Amino acid sequence: MRIVLGVSAGIAAYKAVHLLRLMREAGHQVDVIPTPASEKFVGRATWEAISGRPVTTSVFSGVDEVRHVRLGQEADLVVVAPATADLLARARAGMADDLLTTTLLASEAPTLLVPAMHTEMWNSAATTENVEVLRTRGIEVMEPAVGRLTGKDTGPGRLPEPEEIYARVTELLHEIDGAAGHGTPEASASAPDQALDQGPAAAPTPGRLRGRTVVITAGGTREPLDPVRYLGNRSSGKQGMALAETAAAAGAKVHLIAGTMDVRPPAQLPNITVEHIETAAQLQAAVQRAAPAADMLIMAAAVADFRPAAYAAQKIKKTEDGENPVITLERTPDILAETVQHRRSAGTGPAVIVGFAAETGSAEADPLELARAKLLRKGCDLLVLNQVGETLVFGRDETEIHILTPPRLTVEGSAVVTLRGTKHEAAEAIIAAAAAYVV
Ligand code: C5P
């Protein structure tokens, strides 16, 4: 999502650098607006390098694009950390004497101010009144932390730790997401810069993913029943393999977690490491190991939803009395959903998580409806729908896919890209769509 991060002139400005990093790692687009005086504490180059966006402090730069109004209007959330006593006073008075205060005035986005100042200044009648007025206007003013201040003094006035501020930012973004009526609280917090409802995605440009790590799961899983039998599925692994090759061609370092595949991936592939797994539990462990360092996680594997509740150490035998064995199944962990959950609670993880849905549809629901529901249930950023049947998709080289984004990213909340073609063409569209989240 889009965040404006205002920084006013306090020594705690250095902590906002870490806050910015946390926001960026979660995939948010952040425009930093320092006050001119704050540049004495942290320089513009630092903000530009970490945000990857141009930074100005003056209302008079970028006049042609009406920057002071645009940034505030486009933001989903405005955060000011640290907010000094002076900034609180200017915000309360509705002053517009620099780009930050002008943006605060022009923005209708939810606003979080995080004060930092000496205890005496925080407790002063002026600041107390300013905070009260700002709060009555619906602006959230966080309570400062109590602790060591810049000098020898201690007391309330310390900037809360960046992780604490970021936790509140995450909560607010989820509320904003939900309030927009798009998505459930499960919808993801990260968003691409560009909406995808403008026609088919092009192939990712070469080098677009240079320096990025992409983790892809592919193929099917096998859930053992006894030493010679298993429950498996018909996934060929071709789509996952095409995704790995496409991501590597775009410059990424790819880690392919491969289940059972029709064609075993070659051991040596440029920029692709392959890890073989068999069961859903092994896949879960492999994803948990690889996901924290990934920029992109693509869950193309057909993971078993159920596995035998008990494993028979000896081969299950036919019995003389002709009784058929009863096999009890249990649910496997939903690896995709739990990875999304973990990203949300930890505040870090892949900038984009892509799920797949292989749907046959039913008399009651069409596959697109089922896929939309799945996207919201799982909370991933993109969902690729494959319509499957006995003769469709599995093992074939041709495919038809729909790439869905959470409804808030589209005009009407519907499917975004529909593509019929080879699995390599599908892979290019999927990687291009996902690359939009990796800024
Ligand atoms: O719920 P369903 O199996 O239809 O969801 C498909 C998506 O969820 C795929 O991206 C698949 O890799 C992932 N999945 C998972 N863990 C499971 C089942 C599916 O991560 N146990």
Side-chain angles (χ1 to χ4, degrees), residues 246-438:
T246 305
K253 226 172 77 204
V254 178
H255 185 61
L256 178 66
I257 302 172
T260 54
M261 315 223 333
D262 281 359
V263 184
R264 203 174 161 83
Q268 290 285 321
L269 284 167
N271 289 330
I272 305 178
T273 52
V274 184
E275 177 179 1
H276 293 280
I277 56 92
E278 204 167 289
T279 63
Q282 290 165 356
L283 183 74
Q284 180 188 35
V287 169
Q288 283 173 355
R289 270 193 306 273
D295 296 293
M296 192 185 280
L297 170 66
I298 304 185
M299 292 288 297
V303 188
D305 290 323
F306 304 98
R307 64 186 163 209
Y311 172 75
Q314 265 82 46
K315 185 180 166 193
I316 301 169
K317 297 251 188 277
K318 291 181 282 247
T319 53
E320 292 305 321
D321 57 13
E323 280 280 312
N324 292 324
V326 175
I327 298 164
T328 307
L329 300 178
E330 65 177 14
R331 290 288 294 269
T332 53
D334 190 324
I335 304 158
L336 174 60
E338 75 177 20
T339 310
V340 171
Q341 276 294 343
H342 184 262
R343 176 178 70 175
R344 188 171 302 145
S345 54
T348 64
V352 55
I353 300 180
V354 184
F356 273 67
E359 299 290 356
T360 52
S362 67
E364 296 81 44
D366 85 292
L368 263 174
E369 260 171 53
L370 294 171
R372 267 189 213 116
K374 183 167 294 180
L375 173 65
L376 296 178
R377 205 167 54 242
K378 303 235 178 193
C380 51
D381 307 299
L382 292 172
L383 190 99
V384 181
L385 166 66
N386 274 316
Q387 216 170 320
V388 294
E390 293 221 339
T391 55
L392 284 169
V393 180
F394 283 130
R396 293 278 185 107
D397 292 323
E398 291 282 316
T399 188
E400 182 180 305
I401 59 160
H402 304 268
I403 305 176
L404 283 77
T405 61
R408 69 194 160 75
L409 296 178
T410 66
V411 178
E412 276 137 10
S414 62
V416 188
V417 176
T418 299
L419 182 134
R420 188 189 287 266
T422 65
K423 288 191 174 172
H424 267 99
E425 284 163 344
E428 289 188 343
I430 296 164
I431 295 289
Y437 289 70
V438 179

